[in-house]
Amino acid sequence: MTNSILTLTVASAIALVGATVLDSAARARLLAQSRNPLTGERALVQPAPEWRNTSWLNTPDAKPVRLSSLRGRVVLLNFWTYTCWNCTGALPSLVQYDRQYRDQGLTVIGMHCPEFPPYAGEHDKANVAAALRQYHIEYPNAQDNDHATWNLYDIQYWPSFVLIDRQGRVRYQGAGEFHVGDATHLEWDKRIRKLLAEE
């Protein structure tokens, strides 16, 4: 009887240790998978990589904008393409953020990332310029025709958004269409205001 109790106690202890180890491994996997599978959103703070796009629209003399030149400002990156219905659906929100918060320290940057091969026209600067006019976009836009910045930020979906704080750190990342006044728009607005309030 004593041996049975001892065996049961040892087995229980081994099971408990095993469960703890598995639980730790599961937690480690969850932490490693920082992207929310439903929203595509990440909330881990990390240094924002410097983009190196050379073709720009809506900048003085079409000169490139560097992340390092925006230190001290909050930056909202929008990865989009003008042929994407979901991307164009989100543009009014971005235009509103730009108009509402530019003077308070927000810089919205469009990263135009073509979805289709070059013959489809998305790589053409004139077509991107026409789309900027059509959607009343006045903030800077880069052509990311080779998806270098897309890959640098590990973007998976059109449209995607990256919010960078004044110190150049990624604070929020997410994907999906939203509209002026809906819950997601208001959540991004809250995040922008939070980062603008930080020193």
Side-chain angles (χ1 to χ4, degrees), residues 46-51 67 71 77 152-153 162 164-165 167-170:
Q46 56 190 321
E50 178 70 78
W51 58 78
L67 178 60
R71 192 58 58 99
L77 293 179
L152 194 62
Y153 280 83
V162 178
I164 301 167
D165 68 16
Q167 285 74 46
R169 300 172 300 182
V170 173

Side-chain angles (χ1 to χ4, degrees), residues 31-32 51 53-54 63 105 180:
L31 289 174
W51 58 78
N53 306 74
T54 57
K63 289 186 178 174
V180 174

Side-chain angles (χ1 to χ4, degrees), residues 33-107:
Q33 297 170 355
S34 60
R35 190 187 303 272
N36 180 316
L38 297 176
T39 64
E41 184 173 312
R42 285 191 235 181
L44 296 182
V45 176
Q46 56 190 321
E50 178 70 78
W51 58 78
R52 305 229 181 270
N53 306 74
T54 57
S55 180
W56 285 80
L57 300 97
N58 289 353
T59 64
D61 299 321
K63 289 186 178 174
V65 175
R66 298 281 176 248
L67 178 60
S68 56
S69 72
L70 298 173
R71 192 58 58 99
R73 294 185 63 83
V74 174
V75 178
L76 176 60
L77 293 179
N78 169 224
F79 292 85
W80 72 294
T81 184
Y82 70 82
T83 60
C84 166
W85 180 264
N86 298 109
C87 295
T88 59
L91 291 176
S93 290
L94 301 171
V95 169
Q96 182 190 30
Y97 294 149
D98 177 50
R99 291 179 180 164
Q100 185 173 356
Y101 297 118
R102 183 186 290 203
D103 291 341
Q104 296 178 44
L106 176 69
T107 298

